[in-house]
């Protein structure tokens, strides 16, 4: 009989018994001769024998006919879910070469479901009385014992002087469809609460693509911006493959101003609104690691068409993002140079509309303490600057209580984001000289990053001032230490602001970054 091992590298190993009727007697004689001439070690003799058989069967067009595909080991997993992952290629295989390739692909799909500890695909002779070169394919799976996983953490943000609680839980194969249920939450004290839950269902039966659905809730209290924002959204995946993703999103938002001090542009956004959008993303990531890439490249293109709901206060608009990353090994101290550039633009699809071009939540904002290297997601990261710390701003209204008391306060600014954003970075990572730190994966890095964003409504696109846009780029540089763990990545950096404008909120100093791998 022939067996496909649990290795993720195709093609699988084959083992052929001497009494298999589908192979010629000459093959058995050759195998016996090879076994007699081999070394005394039984394991090396068997390995050489299997390799010779595999080479002979895959090199020649050995015709076979798959009589039956049997699935074993499903206790709580529904058979339809396994059959959909195995696919029809095993039954259609007409040669041993086709069968080996189909078995390797089926085994890889089954492992990616995450519901099984081991997967084995075995080729055996058909029962007596079946005419022709008929074989039986046996798929053995061992279901994973642990179906639940979770983590919890407490993180301190020195930049905003706040503390956040974050946790997540994941359930796999809860109802036997090899589905993945997950829920996550984050609570930043006195500021933000974010909850989300979702399910990913693999392709089953007549369903042509995996199904994804997610619901999220966000309560954001921007005290410095005099805004309170509540978001509730539903996302449904329409198409999901290794590189392509198509999803429909509907978000209900309520924006309030308890202090009644927001700027005029923000006051236009107050109240309830419904945003309906469809988003397509193409992503390829050929980097050798998502924590510390040393070679490879990654690319993301994301297109979102918003304002699809009837009666929406927003006109239809297109939000396009690009993100390109490259990692090059240096050959010294395990060093690597990571470089990237990201750009995004929001453009109205309807002319002459009286509504707002795009909601505040969909615009681009630069700043914050997100790592430069790991995340693919368009322009956003700019170390050394506070969240929403640069770009177009408007002065808030004066507090009437303070005016009555005759006191004067410095005016606060509301960040308005931008319709066009560009960022770029270069990051040099290297091993530290201490061996205990290298064994833990702790390494150093130095970086430089720059970015800019503007509101396109302030310019005529045919006369867009490219030179002014390039000359007003903000930039920062720094160095630090990176501690990667299985659950998250920690960066301790010293950031130095190289260039900022008058109303930007950037500050040189030490900064801690926490992110998921």
């Amino acid at each position: 009989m022939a067996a496909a091992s649990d290795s993720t590298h195709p093609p699988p190993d084959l083992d052929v018994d001497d009494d298999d009727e589908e192979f010629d007697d000459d093959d058995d004689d050759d195998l016996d001769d090879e076994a007699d001439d081999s070394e005394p070690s039984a394991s090396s003799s068997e390995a050489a024998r299997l390799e010779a058989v595999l080479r002979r069967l895959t090199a020649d067009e050995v015709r076979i006919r798959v009589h039956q595909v049997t699935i074993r080991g499903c206790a709580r997993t529904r058979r339809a879910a396994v059959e959909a992952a195995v696919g029809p290629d095993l039954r259609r295989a007409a040669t041993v070469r086709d069968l080996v390739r189909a078995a390797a692909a089926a085994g890889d799909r089954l492992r990616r479901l995450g519901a099984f500890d081991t997967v084995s695909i075995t080729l055996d002779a058909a029962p007596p009385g079946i005419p022709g070169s008929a074989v039986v394919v046996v798929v053995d799976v061992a279901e994973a014992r642990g179906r639940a996983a979770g983590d919890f953490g407490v993180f301190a943000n020195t930049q905003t002087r706040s503390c956040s609680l974050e946790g997540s839980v994941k359930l796999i194969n809860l109802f036997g469809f090899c589905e993945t249920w997950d829920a996550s939450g984050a609570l930043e004290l006195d500021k933000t609460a974010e909850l989300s839950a979702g399910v990913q269902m693999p392709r089953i039966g007549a369903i042509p693509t995996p199904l994804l659905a997610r619901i999220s809730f966000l309560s954001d209290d921007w005290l410095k911006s005099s805004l309170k924002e509540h978001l509730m959204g539903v996302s449904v995946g329409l198409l999901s493959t290794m590189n392509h993703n198509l999803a429909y999103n509907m978000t209900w938002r309520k924006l309030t101003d308890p202090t009644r001090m927001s700027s005029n542009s923000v006051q236009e956004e107050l109240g309830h609104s419904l945003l309906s959008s469809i988003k397509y993303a193409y992503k390829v990531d050929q980097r050798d690691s998502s924590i510390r890439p040393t070679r490879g490249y990654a690319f993301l293109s994301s297109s979102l068409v918003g304002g699809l709901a009837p009666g929406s206060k927003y006109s239809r608009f297109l939000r396009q993002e690009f993100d390109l990353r490259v990692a090059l090994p240096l050959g010294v101290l395990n060093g690597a140079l990571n470089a990237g550039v990201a750009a995004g633009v929001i453009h109205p699809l309807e002319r002459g509309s009286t509504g707002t071009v795009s909601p505040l939540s969909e615009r681009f904002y630069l700043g914050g303490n997100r790592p430069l290297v790991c995340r693919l997601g368009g322009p956003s990261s700019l170390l050394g600057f506070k969240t929403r710390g640069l770009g177009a701003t408007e002065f808030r209204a004066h507090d009437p209580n303070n005016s009555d008391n005759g006191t004067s306060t410095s005016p606060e600014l509301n960040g308005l984001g931008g319709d066009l954003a560009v960022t770029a970075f270069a990051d040099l990572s290297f091993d530290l000289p201490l061996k205990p730190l290298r064994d833990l994966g702790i390494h150093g890095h130095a970086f430089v990053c720059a970015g800019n964003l503007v509101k396109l409504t302030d310019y005529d696109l045919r006369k867009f001032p490219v030179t002014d846009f390039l000359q007003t780029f903000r930039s920062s540089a720094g160095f630090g230490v990176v501690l990667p763990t299985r659950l998250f990545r920690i960066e301790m950096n010293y950031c130095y602001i190289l260039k900022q404008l008058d109303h930007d909120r950037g500050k040189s100093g030490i900064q801690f970054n926490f992110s998921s791998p």
Side-chain angles (χ1 to χ4, degrees):
M1 95 181 161
S5 68
D6 193 39
S7 174
T8 59
H9 302 284
D13 296 336
L14 293 178
D15 184 10
V16 180
D17 293 337
D18 293 338
D19 57 352
D20 285 351
E21 298 179 358
E22 66 270 25
F23 303 110
D24 296 335
D25 294 338
D26 294 340
D27 294 339
D28 296 333
D29 295 338
D30 293 339
L31 294 178
D32 294 338
D33 295 339
E34 293 174 4
D36 294 338
D37 296 337
S38 62
E39 297 179 0
S41 174
S43 59
S44 60
S45 174
E46 184 69 12
R49 175 172 172 267
L50 295 177
E51 184 178 356
V53 173
L54 177 61
R55 187 165 50 248
R56 181 179 298 110
L57 293 179
T58 54
D60 300 333
E61 292 293 335
V62 179
R63 306 291 296 180
I64 60 170
R65 181 175 59 86
V66 177
H67 172 68
Q68 184 180 3
V69 176
T70 303
I71 298 174
R72 302 185 303 193
C74 296
R76 61 176 180 271
T77 305
R78 298 180 185 271
R79 180 183 177 89
V82 181
E83 289 178 344
V86 170
D89 292 341
L90 281 177
R91 295 184 181 275
R92 298 172 181 174
T95 65
V96 174
R97 180 186 303 174
D98 296 338
L99 187 58
V100 168
R101 294 174 179 173
D108 186 57
R109 289 192 296 268
L110 287 171
R111 296 181 191 97
R112 287 203 302 264
L113 293 177
F116 308 110
D117 286 333
T118 60
V119 176
S120 177
I121 300 179
T122 304
L123 170 64
D124 203 352
I130 303 298
S133 300
V135 295
V136 174
V137 179
V138 181
V139 180
D140 289 300
V141 295
E143 295 175 334
R145 295 182 179 179
R147 291 184 291 175
D151 61 86
F152 177 80
V154 180
F155 305 107
N157 191 329
T158 58
Q159 185 184 29
T160 58
R161 297 180 181 180
S162 62
C163 180
S164 64
L165 309 177
E166 300 181 12
S168 64
V169 62
K170 180 182 293 186
L171 301 174
I172 300 177
N173 206 18
L174 183 63
F175 296 104
F177 291 102
C178 297
E179 78 281 5
T180 300
W181 299 82
D182 70 282
S184 61
L187 174 63
E188 191 166 344
L189 301 184
D190 299 329
K191 189 174 183 181
T192 303
E194 183 176 3
L195 300 173
S196 66
V199 58
Q200 178 175 351
M201 187 82 67
R203 184 175 63 88
I204 298 177
I207 302 176
T209 180
L211 297 179
L212 297 92
R214 191 161 200 86
I215 184 172
S216 58
F217 173 79
L218 172 66
S219 177
D220 201 352
D221 188 359
W222 292 95
L223 296 178
K224 292 290 182 71
S225 299
S226 71
L227 297 177
K228 283 189 175 182
E229 184 179 36
H230 299 277
L231 293 176
M232 181 174 294
V234 177
S235 176
V236 179
L238 305 177
L239 173 66
S240 178
T241 64
M242 183 174 296
N243 302 115
H244 304 273
N245 186 274
L246 181 66
Y248 174 78
N249 304 281
M250 179 172 288
T251 304
W252 170 84
R253 185 186 70 156
K254 180 182 179 182
L255 189 64
T256 60
D257 178 18
T259 62
R260 298 181 181 180
M261 294 173 57
S262 59
S263 62
N264 294 332
S265 297
V266 174
Q267 289 179 5
E268 296 177 358
E269 298 267 339
L270 298 180
H272 299 269
S273 62
L274 182 65
L275 179 64
S276 177
S277 63
I278 188 167
K279 181 178 181 180
Y280 167 75
Y282 172 78
K283 179 181 179 181
V284 56
D285 194 343
Q286 297 296 328
R287 297 176 295 179
D288 56 353
S289 172
S290 61
I291 299 293
R292 186 186 177 184
T294 58
R295 66 177 66 247
Y297 69 93
F299 175 75
L300 172 68
S301 173
S302 174
S303 304
L304 181 144
V305 178
L308 302 179
S312 174
K313 64 185 295 186
Y314 306 109
S315 60
R316 289 186 177 89
F317 64 92
L318 172 65
R319 188 179 196 267
Q320 179 65 52
E321 297 177 73
F322 297 99
D323 200 342
L324 175 64
R325 309 288 178 90
V326 178
L328 302 174
L330 300 180
V332 179
L333 295 177
N334 195 27
L337 175 63
N338 282 267
V341 59
V345 62
I346 299 176
H347 191 269
L349 298 179
E350 298 178 357
R351 297 190 179 275
S353 175
T354 58
T356 306
V357 174
S358 61
L360 284 173
S361 58
E362 291 296 333
R363 296 177 192 171
F364 298 103
Y365 297 92
L366 300 186
N369 54 354
R370 298 174 181 174
L372 299 172
V373 175
C374 303
R375 178 180 174 270
L376 276 173
S380 62
S381 297
L382 196 58
L383 298 184
F385 292 86
K386 293 186 178 181
T387 303
R388 305 189 182 191
L390 71 160
T393 58
E394 281 186 351
F395 288 104
R396 294 169 52 187
H398 293 286
D399 191 344
N401 295 328
N402 290 338
S403 300
D404 295 339
N405 296 332
T407 60
S408 62
T409 59
S410 59
E412 296 286 350
L413 298 174
N414 284 151
L416 303 180
D419 303 316
L420 173 64
V422 178
T423 58
F425 78 91
D427 183 278
L428 176 64
S429 63
F430 50 88
D431 281 345
L432 297 176
L434 299 179
K435 187 177 184 300
L437 298 180
R438 293 197 303 268
D439 294 340
L440 294 175
I442 302 175
H443 60 278
H445 76 132
F447 62 87
V448 59
C449 57
N452 196 7
L453 79 167
V454 294
K455 292 180 61 180
L456 292 181
T457 53
D458 297 337
Y459 302 96
D460 185 353
L461 293 181
R462 294 170 296 182
K463 300 179 181 180
F464 182 78
V466 178
T467 303
D468 293 343
F469 180 73
L470 296 177
Q471 290 177 350
T472 55
F473 261 67
R474 288 75 150 179
S475 58
S476 64
F479 59 90
V481 177
V482 181
L483 172 61
T485 68
R486 188 171 61 89
L487 299 179
F488 51 85
R489 167 189 168 113
I490 305 174
E491 290 186 12
M492 183 178 66
N493 299 323
Y494 175 80
C495 300
Y496 180 78
I497 303 298
L498 298 177
K499 183 178 180 180
Q500 63 176 327
L501 301 185
D502 293 338
H503 299 304
D504 294 338
R505 292 181 294 168
K507 184 179 180 181
S508 300
I510 296 178
Q511 186 180 81
F512 288 89
N513 300 341
F514 298 88
S515 65
S516 301

